[in-house]
Amino acid sequence: MIVPLIQRLLDRPGPATIIVVAALGATAWGVAHVPRSVVLFMLFQASVLLLYFARIPRGLKILLTAIALGVLMPVLGTINAYYMEIAIQVGIFVALALGLNIVVGLAGLLDLGYVAFFAVGAYSWAIFGSPQANLIFGGSHFPLSGWWFFVFLFVGVGVAAGAGILLGLPVLRLHGDYLALVTLGFGEVIRVLANNLDKPINITNGPKGITPINRPPIFFEPLLRAIGLEPNPYVIYPLYLYALVLLIVGVTVLVNRRLEDSHIGRAWEAIREDQTAAQAMGVPLVRMKLLAFACGASFAGAVGVLFSAKQIFINPESFTFMESIGVLAMIILGGMGSIPEPSSGPPWSPCSISRSSRASRSGSTSSATRAR
Amino acid sequence: MDFELLIGIFPQVLIDGITLGFMYALIALGYTMVYGVLEFINFAHSEIFIVGAFVGVELLLGMKAAGWLDALPWILVLLLILVAGMAVSGVLAVIVERTAYRPLRHAPRLIPLISAIGVSFFLQDAIRLFESLWRNSFNLVYPTMEALNERFELSSTIDVSLKSLVVTAAALLMLWGLYSLVNKTKIGKAIRAVAEDQSAASLMGINVNRIISLTFLIGGAMGGGAGVLFGVQYSLINPYTGFIPGLKAFTAAVLGGIGNIPGAMLGGLVLGLLESFAASYLSLLTGGAFGAEYKDILAFSILILILIFRPKGLLGEVVRERA
């Protein structure tokens, strides 16, 4: 009775705008005044999701999304730092889900070892952004300063894409179930390697993990001081990471959108629908599948670099098969092959409140790019 | 390199490998039979396997509490838990097929696979929940059966425990039973017919759904039996133990040629032997640089290599593509 009513109201621009603004305002006000109530924070996220579903003029929707994610969320995050942490995690998983969506959703190649690429990216920065690299190369040139983090975002992309091609080359002749199995095996191999490569040369420091990993510098700090603000690192840093995550998610969504509508994206969809027919139509199967693997992997690589900088500490436990399945569950939940849906999937993934709150927010992130 | 040591442990490694290999073969049968009939990887099979192990341990613990464990002859106890494990796992496999796979039989290929992964996680945590409530711990240890721990010393470095002999014998017996069922009986003929061509089989008056259920029953029973034997051999089990052996068994099935029953047995043996040798020799041969922990990598590398160079497996036929 009530649901259809709300549905009908959300379909009309006027009432929809009022409802959404009221919901956002009320929940944000609630969270601000009762910061410890997780229920209220989840309601806030739900209202961001509501924003995504509401039929509001496109420009207004983008504006509201920007306010919700760019103003309300950071403010609430400074009131209760835990929520900021959740928001950053949500962002990381959204970007991962979007990357996997290319491989599974668009190209139709079931990849059960996706977390391996995430691990490759994370370890690439973890090794060079910490004293760990000294153990490999000798000397004491490492850790690299935080500025290199931005370079490594791209290095992570490159290394992970390389790993994707490396995996893609042998498995291209397989399809369906076999592919799933081989990628699963690959994911396990990477994890076992990370777990055991502390000898003969100590590369990953084994199960003990790598720490401390350098974080990107707050380059605008002098600017803040110049205008007379004394930034508190415990407040400013999560905000900064959040902005970085938002940026990466934004870029990911944008790239996804552009790819989907390009001839590459169409080729992927053709392969997904019918491999033989696609080949007959002149789609270069091998190259397109490799490209899908490399693209999907490269997002995971960049996010991995960010992840290791955020955590300061990583070890192989972060890259288990469960994570691959979790990301897969997110894109299935959201609907494979679409962009907003995978990014709205993460919030409901199982385990914890922090996870459960994840995605309603992300849903609205992408709604900015695909307003209904 | 200590050459004498390498030679000296060889028979022991061989025996361990054969025991492990038969275990893999039993699990691999479940994968291969289902694949033969439905062309689909039953991802939940590793959990059906571990359910068998849990049924075994529960029965044993129950019997121990009642004081029967020492009173009854060990062979009777073993037979009892084997049959119970097989029955429960077989029925569970049928239920899983009915609820999670049958409604999706005509969906695109990836969908049932994902559903199977879901079932797999569901079962893992269901076992965990049950055991946590029932025994306050989900890491269970098989009670020792004194008689089974007897060891026959063949020389100073080699000994065979009665346990691994029994496990091997039981595995062989089950494999033989399955082989004759599939090749010598009418039911087996029906299974083979359904694997060959479902619609033609149904035209011949075979109830395809019933045969598919039966396939799951048999495959699940083999997996459950393997679970009980696994528990008897390695003692320590938890709900997540099944995953890696399941994956290895699937590798074995692919190695032998998926859908091919003798192939699964051969693949299991080969993989078990390889793994056993890798675990013992890798660290010796590389001077300690690469230890036994790399045996899993070896198994997966074999899987990848086989799929690349001989996708049909050692004994398999060419797999036709399903439209």
Side-chain angles (χ1 to χ4, degrees), chain A:
Chain A
M1 189 57 211
I2 294 179
V3 174
L5 183 73
I6 296 177
Q7 188 89 52
R8 222 177 309 146
L9 283 177
L10 283 178
D11 278 344
R12 286 195 217 139
T17 314
I18 296 170
I19 290 179
V20 167
V21 170
L24 273 176
T27 51
W29 186 85
V31 175
H33 283 79
V34 194
R36 305 200 58 147
S37 160
V38 175
V39 175
L40 272 176
F41 184 61
M42 287 170 79
L43 282 177
F44 171 69
Q45 299 183 317
S47 60
V48 181
L49 192 67
L50 200 66
L51 168 62
Y52 163 65
F53 283 122
R55 194 167 286 180
I56 299 177
R58 195 187 158 123
L60 191 60
K61 202 169 193 172
I62 294 176
L63 182 73
L64 281 177
T65 309
I67 291 174
L69 294 184
V71 180
L72 290 181
M73 188 57 231
V75 169
L76 297 181
T78 28
I79 294 172
N80 185 341
Y82 174 61
Y83 296 153
M84 200 79 257
E85 172 70 22
I86 293 177
I88 296 169
Q89 287 236 22
V90 171
I92 286 177
F93 276 89
V94 168
L96 276 180
L98 284 167
L100 186 60
N101 187 43
I102 292 183
V103 187
V104 181
L106 288 185
L109 308 163
L110 185 56
D111 185 348
L112 293 181
Y114 189 63
V115 79
F117 306 123
F118 185 50
V120 166
Y123 269 100
S124 68
W125 173 240
I127 289 171
F128 290 99
S130 74
Q132 181 71 18
N134 290 333
L135 300 176
I136 306 170
F137 301 107
S140 54
H141 307 291
F142 300 98
L144 297 173
S145 83
W147 285 103
W148 281 86
F149 168 82
F150 298 103
V151 179
F152 265 80
L153 275 182
F154 295 95
V155 174
V157 166
V159 174
I165 292 175
L166 211 65
L167 170 66
L169 271 178
V171 304
L172 277 177
R173 294 171 24 180
L174 314 170
H175 40 85
D177 315 344
Y178 284 116
L179 183 74
L181 250 297
V182 173
T183 49
L184 196 165
F186 179 76
E188 284 293 294
V189 165
I190 293 280
R191 192 181 58 80
V192 174
L193 278 180
N195 220 353
N196 292 306
L197 272 182
D198 49 352
K199 59 183 182 187
I201 308 167
N202 189 347
I203 297 176
T204 63
N205 209 20
K208 289 193 290 291
I210 300 177
T211 196
I213 302 164
N214 265 347
R215 295 182 140 191
I218 303 179
F219 54 85
F220 48 84
E221 203 175 355
L223 204 73
L224 289 180
R225 286 180 203 283
I227 57 171
L229 283 171
E230 193 57 42
N232 175 354
Y234 292 104
V235 175
I236 196 85
Y237 214 90
L239 282 181
Y240 178 50
L241 277 177
Y242 176 69
L244 272 179
V245 167
L246 265 194
L247 187 75
I248 289 185
V249 170
V251 170
T252 318
V253 170
L254 203 68
V255 172
N256 260 283
R257 292 282 296 148
R258 305 293 296 166
L259 271 177
E260 197 184 13
D261 287 337
S262 70
H263 70 277
I264 296 175
R266 291 185 200 289
W268 285 338
E269 280 169 43
I271 292 174
R272 178 187 67 196
E273 294 306 327
D274 189 333
Q275 186 166 318
T276 321
Q279 195 169 22
M281 290 299 135
V283 173
L285 277 191
V286 175
R287 211 184 321 152
M288 282 303 156
K289 282 187 180 178
L290 268 187
L291 202 61
F293 260 100
C295 277
S298 59
F299 287 119
V303 182
V305 171
L306 185 76
F307 177 75
S308 66
K310 170 187 162 283
Q311 297 290 80
I312 310 182
F313 162 77
I314 61 166
N315 79 347
E317 285 302 300
S318 309
F319 310 108
T320 56
F321 178 59
M322 239 356 245
E323 299 291 318
S324 294
I325 294 299
V327 178
L328 185 68
M330 290 170 203
I331 67 171
I332 292 169
L333 196 60
M336 285 191 278
S338 73
I339 292 172
E341 324 305 340
S343 40
S344 58
W348 295 287
S349 69
C351 297
S352 64
I353 294 174
S354 71
R355 285 210 175 176
S356 72
S357 48
R358 212 164 259 161
S360 33
R361 310 195 42 264
S362 34
S364 50
T365 318
S366 37
S367 69
T369 57
R370 189 191 266 191
R372 284 201 190 164

Side-chain angles (χ1 to χ4, degrees), chain A residues 108 110 112 170 173-175 177-178 180-182 184-185 188-189 192-193 196-197 199-200 321-322 325 332, chain B residues 35 39-41 43 109-110 113-114 117 121 243-244 247 250 258 289 293-294 297 300 304 307-308 321:
Chain A
L110 185 56
L112 293 181
R173 294 171 24 180
L174 314 170
H175 40 85
D177 315 344
Y178 284 116
L181 250 297
V182 173
L184 196 165
E188 284 293 294
V189 165
V192 174
L193 278 180
N196 292 306
L197 272 182
K199 59 183 182 187
F321 178 59
M322 239 356 245
I325 294 299
I332 292 169
Chain B
Y35 197 93
E39 291 191 24
F40 138 79
I41 299 172
F43 219 90
R109 274 191 94 137
L110 293 186
L113 185 62
I114 292 169
I117 295 174
F121 282 116
F243 181 67
I244 292 287
L247 212 55
F250 180 78
I258 193 146
E293 59 272 16
Y294 283 89
I297 292 196
F300 294 129
I304 295 177
L307 286 176
I308 294 165
E321 193 164 331

Side-chain angles (χ1 to χ4, degrees), chain B residues 190-208:
Chain B
I191 291 177
R192 280 179 288 142
V194 171
E196 195 74 34
D197 188 333
Q198 277 189 24
S199 44
S202 76
L203 286 178
M204 296 300 126
I206 296 170
N207 185 338
V208 172

